[in-house]
Amino acid sequence: DMVATLKASVGKMNDLLARLSQHNKGRAEEPRPIALKALAEAVAAPRRGGHAIAVEGRADVIARADPVRLEQALAHLVQNAVDASPTDVPVILRIEPRGGDAAIDVIDRGAGMSPDFVRTRLFKPFSSTKQGGFGVGAYEARTLIATMGGRLEVASREGEGSRFSIVLPLADGPT
């Protein structure tokens, strides 16, 4: 039993390393103006075959961000939302200005998380509510967003779903 458990653990760690290396797309870029709705559409498009994803909001909301890191962070959050959601309920990506910032909300109607889980375990690697989950998506997303001067906010209610909000500085100018 112990050998089987160790083999299973090694397999999970190898899978995790493979996933992380897929998302490591190289060096950070200098933050620049990014049209959030266009980026959200680009992240949603390849995932729509398996789950409905709606992109809502204003096309003129432009954030200052590293495009590669923002895409990685958003992809983690969208995948988590898809995994948490019933197949017949779309995940919503909502883009809007929020005060002096720009925000992308990733909204699901899944099982949600307890306040205790959000407070004590959500952003810790290897802590997940998903069966077989690695618990690195939200952790890596928050880290990537913080490196761009942004923040990741979360609101969740058990039985109702979750909303993760990427909040970044607004930018003016061409994308």
Side-chain angles (χ1 to χ4, degrees):
D1 284 344
M2 190 166 82
V3 171
T5 300
L6 284 172
K7 282 184 180 180
S9 295
V10 167
K12 283 182 82 170
M13 291 302 292
N14 284 334
D15 290 345
L16 172 61
L17 290 172
R19 274 186 58 200
L20 290 175
S21 67
Q22 289 173 16
H23 296 295
N24 186 3
K25 296 183 179 179
R27 295 179 3 193
E29 291 185 34
E30 195 64 34
R32 62 180 175 86
I34 304 293
L36 296 184
K37 191 166 186 183
L39 180 81
E41 286 287 357
V43 169
R47 292 165 177 80
R48 283 189 172 127
H51 197 100
I53 301 173
V55 179
E56 304 174 347
R58 295 178 32 188
D60 64 341
V61 177
I62 299 172
R64 188 158 213 55
D66 172 337
V68 172
R69 288 185 176 197
L70 180 54
E71 182 177 346
Q72 286 176 240
L74 184 58
H76 280 306
L77 298 176
V78 170
Q79 188 60 54
N80 285 350
V82 166
D83 291 344
S85 296
T87 55
D88 60 335
V89 179
V91 168
I92 299 169
L93 306 182
R94 183 173 298 135
I95 291 80
E96 62 187 10
R98 191 168 292 159
D101 295 316
I104 304 174
D105 294 331
V106 180
I107 304 164
D108 72 64
R109 298 291 172 232
M113 298 171 285
S114 71
D116 182 61
F117 183 86
V118 171
R119 188 175 49 260
T120 63
R121 295 177 39 213
L122 175 61
F123 295 111
K124 293 190 176 164
F126 310 111
S127 184
S128 178
T129 59
K130 294 187 288 190
Q131 182 68 18
F134 293 110
V136 295
Y139 168 79
E140 186 174 15
R142 184 173 76 165
T143 301
L144 290 166
I145 293 161
T147 64
M148 296 180 282
R151 65 188 184 276
L152 180 59
E153 300 172 349
V154 61
S156 187
R157 294 184 72 127
E158 289 180 287
E160 294 181 23
S162 301
R163 177 180 52 224
F164 284 81
S165 300
I166 298 172
V167 183
L168 296 161
L170 271 173
D172 294 320
T175 58

